[in-house]
Amino acid sequence: MNLKTNPLSEHQLAALAQLTEGLTSEQVLWLSGYLEGRLAAAELSVSKTGAAPAPAAVPTTKLTILYGTDTGRSKELAEKLAEKSTLQNITANVVSMYDYKVRQLKDEENLAVIVSTHGEGEPPDMAEDFHKYVTGKRAQRLEQLKYAVLALGDKSYKFFCKTGEDIDTAFTKLGATGIVPLVKCDVDFEEDAESWMTNLLMNLVPSVSDTTTSNNVEGVVAKSAYSKKNPFMATVLEKMKITGRGSDKEVYHLELSLDGSGLTYEPGDSVGIFPKNPQSLVQGIIDKSRLNADEKVTIRENEFSFEEALSRHLEITLLTRDVIQKYAEKTGNAELEKVLNDELLLDQFLYGSDLLDLLEDFPGNWTAQGLTDILRPLPARLYSISSSQDMVGDEVHATISVVRYNRKNRQRLGACSSYLADNIELDDQIPVYIEKNPSFKLPANGARIIMVGAGTGIAPYRAFMQHRESQGLKGNSWLFFGDRRFHSDFLYQIEWQKLLKEKQLERIAVAFSRDQNEKIYVQHKLKEHQKDIYEWLENGAHFYLCGDMKSMAKDVNKTLLEIIQVQGGVSEEQAEKYVKQLKREKRFQSDVY
């Protein structure tokens, strides 16, 4: 066949054959009409101008992108969506839920909401007012609105992605139309978020191809050679146990080399470390399931031995409701169904249980691939960085509390913390990346800071003080730290005393709960100094909180409200508004876990 009878290249012919394969007669008829219309339009244009037509102007689509976050992930995704939108001639406007006027909803045409869930199903601070409005009685009808929701969460929590679910349900009830279905993301959210963005843009601008959307933006957002998808192998420079004799905790200070990585971080960021599951647990699962350790299984199109999958790629040290649900569906175990249908029993089982518990307590017949398919990928563990790069250069420091406890006559180990404590030595290399946290940052103007933390919640404050020291800032800093015992659990004690002596740190207040009969916690120390704390806040101080979400963080928040009520002479409602304003001004920031 020559060019006169066939003007198509071999590549075009192959593409045409692939496109037309399996078409119905109705589809062929539509395609011929489409091509005929394209031909007629081209001929008409050429006959009038004598040249090929100029591309028609594409009408601009507008998209408002709202984000609600505690860690900054939703903001990063919102900005990424805006970059993608711009490449497709979509005018995107990114707005924090703090700054968005909810009455504007009635005027919006296209809205994308990216929101995380905080704690046990609560909206993040910046999303509270928006969530309350759209789910409340004052919300207006939104028949004109087209929307999409991306919900971020963690399946290990009971109310997984509840904030996003609530907003999606509310919009539907108010008459809005979903552009694409709600997508709920677990801790490994990148692929699901990418798919949601691509699907959203393709539905907003139907001519956009999946390949075009993804490829164009990859070039825009790629910022570093090393990332979560491509971690850097960091060399261990220092590993030191920093809890003393008599402590019932095991905490390590870890120093890693980033030399040659090009990775950068700021105080408040986290380092992500990819773990390896305890070998004793891996072997226990293989023995109990009676499966072949060498059998090949597939995870996201990659092939591994079953043992390697359990060791490095699957979450086995803790369970989620989703995993238990899938396990029950596959096994049909009636006893497990009873647990699933009883919230109290389910909570009791989830607390401290691992995959081996599930296999022992609710036996079933499994294949290696079948068991692999119900488990979630093993996520990296995030640790607050305890160093300032201005002070330590191409290093990153972390403070690791080792998880070890006994349950049902078997020792339980944290996937990452026990791996670092028991298997990693100096000069070993471990895969790491930097996780930015724009929601936990030092004030740019060197203002006063009040730092409240317990246990390893002290880590970012070490970074804060190193950074301020490197900038020549002295004083205007106050640390509230709590742990169990002064002599064994005062983390980085010598460093803090040196900072205090040199007046880098202005004040310190410590609470050690087990050193006396009556337990004393950081919130008690806050109350003890409430007059000065209120004065610092009134004079522009920034308040930071880092530590355990379920108890310490709640108690500190409650105490701060009480201090503002008493010292400010205001009502509880006015105190809540005061705290909310601090958060809006980024003068109250939390990093809780």
Side-chain angles (χ1 to χ4, degrees), residues 40-78:
E43 287 175 346
L44 179 62
S45 175
V46 171
S47 67
K48 285 183 177 181
T49 66
V58 180
T60 300
T61 302
K62 293 182 178 180
L63 175 66
T64 298
I65 306 169
L66 291 183
Y67 66 87
T69 181
D70 274 327
T71 64
R73 291 194 189 104
S74 296
K75 181 182 180 182
E76 288 180 7
L77 290 173

Side-chain angles (χ1 to χ4, degrees), residues 134 174 180 202 213 249 289 345 354 462 498 506 513-514 587:
V134 298
L174 294 170
V180 293
M202 288 179 69
T213 304
K249 289 183 175 184
S289 64
L345 287 177
D354 54 32
R462 182 176 185 264
K498 182 173 180 283
E506 185 172 331
S513 59
R514 307 298 198 273
R587 289 177 50 216

Side-chain angles (χ1 to χ4, degrees), residues 240-366:
M240 181 189 308
K241 187 178 177 183
I242 56 174
T243 41
R245 290 181 182 178
S247 177
D248 45 14
K249 289 183 175 184
E250 191 179 344
V251 179
Y252 284 86
H253 173 74
L254 196 67
E255 298 182 4
L256 305 172
S257 172
L258 297 180
D259 187 31
S261 71
L263 290 170
T264 60
Y265 61 87
E266 296 176 334
D269 291 342
S270 297
V271 57
I273 301 177
F274 287 89
K276 182 179 180 183
N277 284 314
Q279 183 57 36
S280 58
L281 178 59
V282 170
Q283 192 59 51
I285 291 168
I286 292 170
D287 293 343
K288 188 64 183 179
S289 64
R290 297 181 181 178
L291 295 170
N292 184 352
D294 297 322
E295 184 176 342
K296 297 299 181 182
V297 295
T298 302
I299 303 172
R300 292 179 175 175
E301 301 180 358
N302 295 309
E303 193 173 74
F304 308 97
S305 71
F306 184 49
E307 182 176 17
E308 174 71 5
L310 290 175
S311 296
R312 291 193 177 272
H313 301 284
L314 299 171
E315 182 80 272
I316 61 174
T317 59
L318 59 85
L319 299 173
T320 67
R321 290 163 181 264
D322 181 62
V323 167
I324 294 176
Q325 182 70 52
K326 290 175 180 176
Y327 189 101
E329 289 170 359
K330 294 289 185 182
T331 61
N333 189 296
E335 291 302 312
L336 186 54
E337 287 289 349
K338 288 180 183 177
V339 172
L340 275 167
N341 293 323
D342 186 315
E343 281 296 316
L344 181 59
L345 287 177
L346 183 56
D347 284 341
Q348 289 173 345
F349 182 72
L350 280 170
Y351 185 75
S353 293
D354 54 32
L355 180 59
L356 183 52
D357 289 312
L358 200 53
L359 292 166
E360 288 175 340
D361 295 355
F362 307 100
N365 294 318
W366 289 98

Side-chain angles (χ1 to χ4, degrees), residues 118-119 122 452-454 521-523 526 543-561 583 588-593:
H118 178 71
E122 302 158 7
V452 183
Y521 298 109
V522 285
Q523 61 266 26
L526 289 170
F543 189 94
Y544 295 90
L545 172 60
C546 185
D548 172 53
M549 179 193 303
K550 292 184 178 178
S551 54
M552 189 276 285
K554 286 185 177 180
D555 290 337
V556 169
N557 272 285
K558 182 182 175 184
T559 300
L560 183 59
L561 281 171
K583 291 176 180 178
F588 182 171
Q589 298 182 32
S590 301
D591 183 10
V592 295
Y593 40 85

Side-chain angles (χ1 to χ4, degrees), residues 6 40 55 72 114 126 135 142 169 184 223 233 254 279 310 337 354 383 394 429 475 494 532 549 552 589:
N6 173 31
I114 304 176
M126 69 167 61
T135 59
L142 298 172
T169 301
K184 298 188 289 184
K223 295 174 182 176
M233 296 304 294
L254 196 67
Q279 183 57 36
L310 290 175
E337 287 289 349
D354 54 32
Y383 296 97
D394 286 333
Q429 292 187 321
I494 295 173
D532 288 346
M549 179 193 303
M552 189 276 285
Q589 298 182 32

Side-chain angles (χ1 to χ4, degrees), residues 373-407:
D373 289 342
I374 72 164
L375 300 174
R376 77 171 180 174
L378 179 61
R381 278 14 182 199
L382 292 175
Y383 296 97
S384 296
I385 292 173
S386 53
S387 59
S388 166
Q389 202 159 23
D390 285 353
M391 183 72 79
V392 301
D394 286 333
E395 296 180 12
V396 63
H397 300 177
T399 311
I400 316 291
S401 180
V402 183
V403 176
R404 298 186 202 274
Y405 60 97
N406 287 299
R407 185 173 183 267

